[in-house]
Amino acid sequence: MAGPLAGVPLAVVGGDRRELELVRALAAGGAKVRAVGLPAADIPGVEQSASLVEALAGARAVVAPMAGTDHAGRVATPLVPEADLRLDDAFMAALGTAVPLFIGTLKPAVARAAAAHRVRVVELAAVDEIAIANSVPTAEGAVQIAMERLPVTIHGCAALVVGFGRCGTTLGRLLAAMGARVGVAARRPAELARAEEMGLMSWPWAALPEAVAEQDVIFNTVPAPVLSRGVLRRTRPDVLIVDIASAPGGTDFQAAQELGRSAVLALGLPGKVAPVTAGRILARYVPELIRTELERL
């Protein structure tokens, strides 16, 4: 069945199994897809490109990975490790103002290059519908890490969720459903009210040092330095900290190591624990996002 991008030439640059699912959906909907840094040659309707320049030729929009790039702009290509694709100044100049770029998140250097050439960028990780849908595999992945590392069951354990946005809310609900004694530490009164409405214990932000004191496991969702050395000192020696905030996380990992606390930074969980589901989420929402951007031209 023809989709909203039937006949539209698109370039997909790098990615993992999530992007493979997206490519399948785009091609099935009739888009003319060229892929580079992604093993998509066996997908009907997809043309495998040998270079970035070849993939970009004639493309009306470009999709880069949810995993984004490194700080130098090198695209994540785990399925084609030898690929060396960079979202650099030359890449942005090729896009210009007429070809929008869709990517998980932008590193500062990539953002500067995009701004210099006035490239229209949609950061997919910030799109509410994608972020909310992705909060499910993120929460499941975080709990999986806790189950593998804790010496006790989730049922009955004391679990603190730091931050109560999209991921924090889903995580708190999942932990409570598994029988954990869940607390929430958040800045906004509305978030604390939501936690209480869900039957969870709420801690105002100023009480974070007290909130961490008797927890078996702490899940941080705040992408800012919140679990500082001073806060970590208040935790139990056997605590587990699972930080799912975007890099570099919100935990002082050096302090955690020096204090003997077990802490793990768990990035990109949807692509690791449920890549097909995460890819289907992209397939559900990205085509319409692309169509909307192209209509603005």
Side-chain angles (χ1 to χ4, degrees), residues 21-39:
E21 287 296 315
L22 174 59
V23 163
R24 286 190 182 94
L26 291 170
K32 298 179 179 179
V33 182
R34 285 181 176 172
V36 61
L38 194 68

Side-chain angles (χ1 to χ4, degrees), residues 157-207:
C157 81
L160 180 71
V161 178
V162 181
F164 209 55
R166 294 170 296 205
C167 283
T169 302
T170 301
L171 181 55
R173 182 179 295 112
L174 176 60
L175 290 165
M178 295 179 70
R181 292 178 285 116
V182 185
V184 172
R187 293 184 187 276
R188 297 175 54 205
E191 293 172 344
L192 296 176
R194 175 59 68 190
E196 292 174 4
E197 178 272 328
M198 292 170 60
L200 311 181
M201 181 181 298
S202 66
W203 295 85
W205 196 250

Side-chain angles (χ1 to χ4, degrees), residues 135-147 170-171 174 269 273-274:
S135 72
V136 175
T138 298
E140 290 187 5
V143 172
Q144 177 180 324
I145 291 171
M147 291 174 67
T170 301
L171 181 55
L174 176 60
L269 289 176
V273 303

Side-chain angles (χ1 to χ4, degrees), residues 83-132:
D84 185 11
L85 309 174
R86 297 177 186 269
L87 306 192
D88 54 15
D89 193 70
F91 172 87
M92 296 300 175
L95 267 57
T97 60
V99 181
L101 171 65
F102 298 80
I103 188 171
T105 58
L106 279 186
K107 290 292 192 294
V110 181
R112 288 192 294 270
H117 294 279
R118 299 173 61 195
V119 175
R120 301 204 322 275
V121 178
V122 176
E123 292 188 83
L124 298 174
V127 176
D128 273 339
E129 52 267 40
I130 293 176
I132 291 170

Side-chain angles (χ1 to χ4, degrees), residues 1-8 24-32 283 287-288 291:
M1 188 170 102
L5 300 175
V8 177
R24 286 190 182 94
L26 291 170
K32 298 179 179 179
E288 187 62 26
R291 184 194 65 78

Side-chain angles (χ1 to χ4, degrees), residues 238-253:
D238 62 346
V239 72
L240 171 65
I241 298 165
V242 181
D243 197 321
I244 63 173
S246 55
T251 303
D252 186 335
F253 288 97

